[in-house]
Amino acid sequence: MAKDDSAPINGSALAVGAGCYVIWGVVPLAFQVMGRLGIGAWEILAHRTLWAVPTAFLFVALAGQTKQLAAVLRNGRTMAWLALSAAVIAINWLVFIWAVNNGRVLETSLGYFINPLMAMAAGAVIFRERMDAIGKGAIALAGLGVVIQAFALGHVPIVSLTLATSFCAYGIIRKRVAAEAQTGLLIECLILGLPGLFLIAWLESRGQGHFTAGGASMAWLLACGPMTALPLMMFSWAARRIPFSAMGFLQFIAPSMTFVMGVLQGEAFTPLRGLSFAFIWGGAAVFAYGAWRRSRVLAAA
């Protein structure tokens, strides 16, 4: 049953939805702190997946999904899909961590502005979802912004496109998986946590690990778990309680925050690069308008 957009929006759900995107917007600062402590992207990723397991399991238990968890673990086909989604999201996380610690924050912002538009295109191509003129216009504006960004950078914005493509692919895979968000996340973290544990043990055995290097390093690495699982659970909870159009606007909070962060941290922002973001923002605005209009039509129907 479609949500009635003319009805008052659940204020608590709206706040939780905005909160998850605010967390995603400030997470790069945490990764940068860890980077200044000498912790590399691979080690951060290993701890992120490992310490997300207990947090994700807590959410599974609170949601009463332990029986579903057992059923999914016995289903080879579902486990194969979740192994693939785990690999894809690991690529996304690794590239993001590396980028924010190597002066590429603006490129991560661009990637997550592109992502919802890429998801719209994928829906039309893969799932045969109907795309109206507004959707085509949004994608055209975003595509032009990417081309301009390539000229501004002097090369194809690989970081941006990798982030957008990997997250879009993750969404496509998870759409095919018969598992709730909490259960799927826990299994993905279990799949990634095992090699993560081996990497952590190997680094510590060689004296190159940072988990036992000091209290600050240990605290930040332990925090990787909640930072990974909590916003995903907040998103899942809010998305079921507020209109799609509202979530459509909220999803641009995080890349807007990282854009400001990149500029304030002194990353190069030339007029040509500004023009590319203007086209991306234009595409995002058209996308948000289209989402709002579609939800109004559904509510009226």
Side-chain angles (χ1 to χ4, degrees):
M1 182 176 179
K3 298 181 181 72
D4 183 358
D5 280 21
S6 63
I9 293 177
N10 184 319
S12 298
L14 188 66
V16 170
C20 78
Y21 284 108
V22 170
I23 293 173
W24 281 327
V26 300
V27 157
L29 292 174
F31 292 148
Q32 289 178 343
V33 171
M34 287 183 254
R36 286 193 288 272
L37 290 172
I39 309 174
W42 282 101
E43 188 175 5
I44 294 173
L45 176 65
H47 282 279
R48 186 176 189 182
T49 56
L50 179 63
W51 301 118
V53 171
T55 309
F57 181 79
L58 174 63
F59 285 120
V60 167
L62 291 174
Q65 295 176 5
T66 52
K67 289 184 178 179
Q68 185 192 76
L69 173 63
V72 171
L73 289 171
R74 292 192 298 267
N75 189 315
R77 180 180 176 82
T78 302
M79 287 296 295
W81 278 112
L82 286 171
L84 180 59
S85 66
V88 171
I89 200 62
I91 292 171
N92 181 276
W93 288 347
L94 180 65
V95 172
F96 183 80
I97 295 167
W98 176 87
V100 299
N101 282 333
N102 285 274
R104 304 286 189 89
V105 176
L106 285 177
E107 290 185 55
T108 68
S109 173
L110 177 68
Y112 287 113
F113 273 120
I114 295 171
N115 177 66
L117 305 171
M118 185 175 286
M120 182 189 293
V125 174
I126 298 174
F127 299 109
R128 305 296 181 186
E129 295 174 356
R130 184 179 176 183
M131 185 184 298
D132 57 16
I134 292 177
K136 292 176 182 177
I139 292 171
L141 286 170
L144 185 55
V146 172
V147 172
I148 296 172
Q149 182 81 183
F151 280 104
L153 293 172
H155 58 81
V156 176
I158 297 174
V159 168
S160 305
L161 292 175
T162 300
L163 289 173
T165 303
S166 58
F167 202 77
C168 181
Y170 176 75
I172 292 170
I173 296 167
R174 286 303 304 270
K175 188 177 178 69
R176 297 178 178 273
V177 175
E180 294 292 334
Q182 295 93 328
T183 301
L185 174 65
L186 174 57
I187 293 175
E188 288 166 345
C189 290
L190 286 169
I191 292 170
L192 295 173
L194 184 59
L197 178 61
F198 283 126
L199 175 59
I200 292 167
W202 182 76
L203 289 172
E204 293 293 337
S205 69
R206 294 171 60 88
Q208 298 175 0
H210 292 81
F211 188 68
T212 57
S217 297
M218 180 181 292
W220 280 109
L221 289 170
L222 285 171
C224 284
M227 282 192 299
T228 298
L230 180 60
L232 284 170
M233 296 306 103
M234 292 169 66
F235 171 84
S236 177
W237 186 86
R240 293 194 299 269
R241 290 167 174 82
I242 61 177
F244 177 74
S245 57
M247 290 304 293
F249 282 103
L250 292 178
Q251 69 184 318
F252 297 112
I253 292 175
S256 296
M257 292 175 65
T258 53
F259 171 81
V260 173
M261 188 184 304
V263 172
L264 292 178
Q265 291 178 351
E267 291 190 25
F269 190 67
T270 62
L272 190 60
R273 202 168 191 182
L275 180 63
S276 76
F277 270 96
F279 276 101
I280 294 294
W281 288 327
V286 171
F287 169 85
Y289 169 73
W292 173 81
R293 199 178 76 161
R294 283 193 299 274
S295 66
R296 297 294 295 180
V297 169
L298 286 173

